[in-house]
Amino acid sequence: AINLSACLAEKGKKVLAIDIDPQGNTTSGLGADKNAVENTLYELLLGEAETKDTIIKNVVDNVDLIPSNMNLSGAEIELVDLEDKEYILKKITDKLRRKYDYIIMDCPAGIEQGFQNAIAGADRALVVTTPEVSAVRDADRIIGLLEANEITKTHLIVNRLRSDMVKEGNMMSSDDVVDILGIDLIGIVPDDEHIITSTNNGEPLVGSDCLAGQAYMNICKRVMGEDVPYLNLDVKEGFFQKLSAIFKK
């Protein structure tokens, strides 16, 4: 959600990110200081704030944000899961569609009421999974729920793929995941330490030369309808890296 929002903005689109996950990873990952956030999605859903008062303008260039409240207790989070909140969120997104080219909603983990709230306002879905059996099983359940809620425009992102482990037979390939889940692939993101660094720093990987940064931009282009070839994730060591390894031995 962080990097797709930033990449779409880099391509000249006006983007709103809505952080529906109470953990607030998109809020912090886009550089919003939780101590500086006054009104959040939590207050908006409870009717304690107006939509305009919750939107942080240009948290990243051309990206606005409705933040999550990262200071909530477990009991307070339960209030956000009241069933009627899904209708409120749909009303909010319908109202804001006219102002933005894309509204990116970061869903909470799992398939509880928070997830139902999130998808109520969506017309397409990007299902993100790692190539692990338990994660793929969860993704299959998510796809079933999306179909049950008549969201048929659904694509798959395989995250944290390690080509070396795939070659060794210790990790499923992206093709394996696609075969199991039966939906079209829209992106493959390699396991990349730059993702952790950028998230901790509150800076998206837009414009980065690392493989993950390129993968995010390619996903963005495909979301916009462009035909983009997939990256070659089998990056070979350069001459100097090999030379350094020899001398270390």
Side-chain angles (χ1 to χ4, degrees), residues 126-172:
L126 300 180
V127 178
V128 183
T129 184
T130 54
E132 304 162 35
V133 172
S134 59
V136 172
R137 187 181 297 118
D138 288 342
D140 190 44
R141 295 174 68 195
I142 291 293
I143 293 166
L145 285 172
L146 291 169
E147 291 174 349
N149 283 271
E150 299 182 350
I151 298 177
T152 56
K153 193 173 184 181
T154 305
H155 288 89
L156 176 68
I157 296 173
V158 179
N159 196 26
R160 302 193 69 177
L161 187 79
R162 287 186 52 178
S163 57
D164 58 332
M165 292 185 68
V166 173
K167 286 181 177 179
E168 294 165 358
N170 295 321
M171 177 178 281
M172 286 186 283

Side-chain angles (χ1 to χ4, degrees), residues 197-208:
T197 304
S198 70
T199 303
N200 288 340
N201 292 335
E203 298 173 353
L205 281 173
V206 173
S208 170

Side-chain angles (χ1 to χ4, degrees), residues 21-82:
D21 188 347
Q23 292 186 4
N25 292 330
T26 294
T27 300
S28 59
L30 284 170
D33 183 351
K34 69 177 181 179
N35 296 316
V37 173
E38 295 183 5
N39 294 304
T40 71
L41 182 66
Y42 174 75
E43 286 80 20
L44 181 58
L45 290 178
L46 292 181
E48 297 175 359
E50 297 291 330
T51 304
K52 62 182 177 61
D53 297 325
T54 63
I55 297 176
I56 303 174
K57 298 285 188 180
N58 281 323
V59 64
V60 171
D61 286 346
N62 229 21
V63 178
D64 293 349
L65 170 69
I66 295 180
S68 173
N69 190 323
M70 296 175 283
N71 298 313
L72 293 179
S73 67
E76 289 171 321
I77 289 172
E78 287 299 317
L79 289 174
V80 183
D81 286 342
L82 294 173

Side-chain angles (χ1 to χ4, degrees), residues 202-237:
E203 298 173 353
L205 281 173
V206 173
S208 170
D209 290 333
C210 69
L211 279 175
Q214 296 174 51
Y216 287 132
M217 183 56 77
N218 285 349
I219 292 170
C220 163
K221 291 176 180 177
R222 295 185 192 108
V223 166
M224 294 172 60
E226 296 183 35
D227 186 10
V228 184
Y230 286 89
L231 293 173
N232 176 16
L233 300 181
D234 296 324
V235 178
K236 296 180 174 59
E237 289 184 318

